[in-house]
Amino acid sequence: NAGVMQNPRHLVRRRGQEARLRCSPMKGHSHVYWYRQLPEEGLKFMVYLQKENIIDESGMPKERFSAEFPKEGPSILRIQQVVRGDSAAYFCASSPHYRYLGYGYTFGSGTRLTVV
Amino acid sequence: KNEVEQSPQNLTAQEGEFITINCSYSVGISALHWLQQHPGGGIVSLFMLSSGKKKHGRLIATINIQEKHSSLHITASHPRDSAVYICAVRLRTSGSRLTFGEGTQLTVNP
């Protein structure tokens, strides 16, 4: 029973390129969360998705960032026209339905994005 | 002021010492998580609490809902416990997403 799978582990992009980060949730988990950890800072919420639905995107920057969780396949966090300030570790987490009593919350290993 | 405050920010201990990391929050929560992050590594969920106390091996987590406070204890600490420990809460007003403390960097020397 694989955990939350994120790829790539490390991603280097030049300024202006696009970055695509992938997250496959744990088997049986229908909720996906993306969090960002800037250098020397704490984790911050970005977006919460269920299959084919964005539930809460209040933490997403207004421009250049988008996320999806299609019916088939992994969740994708997409950053267009990357800038140096996007360099960070991006973590994905998954959980079963939030009403499940005592539900688990499992994190992936993260994608370290470096913009050069 | 952050909604989640941790103390201390940094903690250095000798192997075998008993360690306590504290977390205070200022708003109503539905659950509190303790997480562990090794340098350059992923995040591991240690505990999820909504009341009382939980124990797993040498780790103990407690929460006092009335005082809005939680503690993570490590007994008989070991160098492999060196990591960042993060307190995170699920606010009643924001569904199932987490709000994080800044983390406590723990170093255990042999």
Side-chain angles (χ1 to χ4, degrees), chain B residues 22 36 39 45-46 48 66 76 89:
Chain B
N22 295 300
Q36 181 193 56
S45 181
L46 299 174
M48 185 184 74
Q66 285 73 32
V89 300

Side-chain angles (χ1 to χ4, degrees), chain A residues 14-19 64 79-84 86 115:
Chain A
R14 295 189 183 280
R15 280 180 294 171
Q17 290 185 319
E18 178 180 287
R64 302 185 298 107
I79 312 172
Q80 295 178 289
Q81 299 175 310
V82 296
V83 300
R84 289 237 171 94
D86 298 331
V115 179

Side-chain angles (χ1 to χ4, degrees), chain A residues 87-108:
Chain A
S87 295
Y90 292 82
F91 288 94
C92 170
S94 73
S95 71
H97 194 286
Y98 76 93
R99 289 198 187 94
Y100 179 73
L101 191 64
Y103 75 83
Y105 208 99
T106 306
F107 284 84

